[in-house]
Amino acid sequence: MNRTLGCVMVCLVLCLPWSLRAQESAGGSAAEVEATHQALRAIKNDMEQALNAQDLDKLLSHVHPNVVFTTMNNDVRVGKDAIRAYYDKMMNGPDRVVRKLTAKFEVDELTRLYGNAGVAQGSSADHYVLTDGTDITVNSRWTCTLVKEGDRWLIAAFHYSTNVFDNPVLGMVKRTALVYGGIAVVAMLIVGIVIGRFTVRRKVTS
């Protein structure tokens, strides 16, 4: 028993320098790392509030000038101006698709830090009200890459995605297909009945 306890203590002592070294490479001391995570949490909360309030200026204040944003519809926008143009097209322009959008971001775990860079991932419940009156909630996945410039963390890349095999939009398409398919079947039956009766009448009168 004493030998086992001694081995455990030796392992802890030997591993401690490596743990501290890994922590330092990730962003400094334990206090510095915790301060970094607090700053990143603040960015997440601020981005969520800005998106829900449709405050694009506030949202863009947290992104890098050369940010790469991959949207839900597989569009890729690079830079703040490109994101602003995409937002205006989808939510403000004459051919806008979205009337209102709210989101709730959840993180899977603490951001993985690599010196002055970090990678985070999580999920999002996105509530869309479309211009045609459609009201849907899409459960999404996201990945975010951040970089530190000076004393600020900025979003350098953000990628949105959803399950292409199981999502509300696909469900609506399937339901629409079933409805129109049912209408087509009924219409064919009616046409068949009319043609059948017309044929019978012709035979009777002839």
Side-chain angles (χ1 to χ4, degrees):
M1 182 67 179
N2 290 336
R3 177 179 293 182
T4 302
L5 181 60
C7 290
V8 170
M9 294 300 294
V10 169
C11 288
L12 287 174
V13 171
L14 289 175
C15 290
L16 184 59
W18 291 101
S19 175
L20 291 174
R21 215 170 294 169
Q23 189 179 65
E24 289 171 359
S25 66
S29 67
E32 290 171 332
V33 171
E34 177 57 26
T36 294
H37 287 303
Q38 289 289 0
L40 297 178
R41 290 187 192 101
I43 291 174
K44 191 270 290 185
N45 294 334
D46 214 30
M47 291 287 286
E48 182 180 295
Q49 292 172 10
L51 180 62
N52 293 339
Q54 299 184 20
D55 187 345
L56 187 59
D57 290 332
K58 184 177 181 181
L59 190 146
L60 290 178
S61 70
H62 291 292
V63 305
H64 192 276
N66 296 320
V67 62
V68 178
F69 176 42
T70 303
T71 69
M72 186 78 70
N73 59 355
N74 217 26
D75 197 353
V76 178
R77 298 295 176 118
V78 179
K80 293 186 178 184
D81 290 341
I83 293 177
R84 187 181 294 277
Y86 174 80
Y87 184 92
D88 287 339
K89 172 187 174 183
M90 298 298 291
M91 300 196 68
N92 297 326
D95 299 320
R96 65 177 184 153
V97 178
V98 181
R99 182 182 301 161
K100 185 179 180 181
L101 164 64
T102 56
K104 177 63 177 176
F105 294 112
E106 299 290 347
V107 296
D108 291 344
E109 57 187 7
L110 290 177
T111 301
R112 290 182 295 281
L113 300 174
Y114 306 94
N116 288 332
V119 177
Q121 89 271 352
S123 59
S124 176
D126 306 318
H127 179 213
Y128 293 88
V129 178
L130 307 184
T131 52
D132 64 359
T134 301
D135 190 315
I136 57 174
T137 297
V138 180
N139 294 315
S140 313
R141 296 290 304 173
W142 56 266
T143 304
C144 179
T145 302
L146 303 105
V147 294
K148 188 175 185 182
E149 292 198 345
D151 60 349
R152 292 194 65 204
W153 284 91
L154 298 171
I155 296 173
F158 195 91
H159 191 118
Y160 249 132
S161 67
T162 191
N163 188 340
V164 296
F165 301 108
D166 183 17
N167 63 75
V169 176
L170 183 62
M172 285 193 303
V173 171
K174 288 179 178 178
R175 287 192 294 273
T176 302
L178 287 173
V179 170
Y180 281 104
I183 292 173
V185 169
V186 172
M188 290 175 64
L189 287 173
I190 293 173
V191 170
I193 291 171
V194 171
I195 292 175
R197 287 182 177 179
F198 181 74
T199 303
V200 170
R201 286 180 182 177
R202 289 191 58 183
K203 288 182 178 179
V204 171
T205 55
S206 63

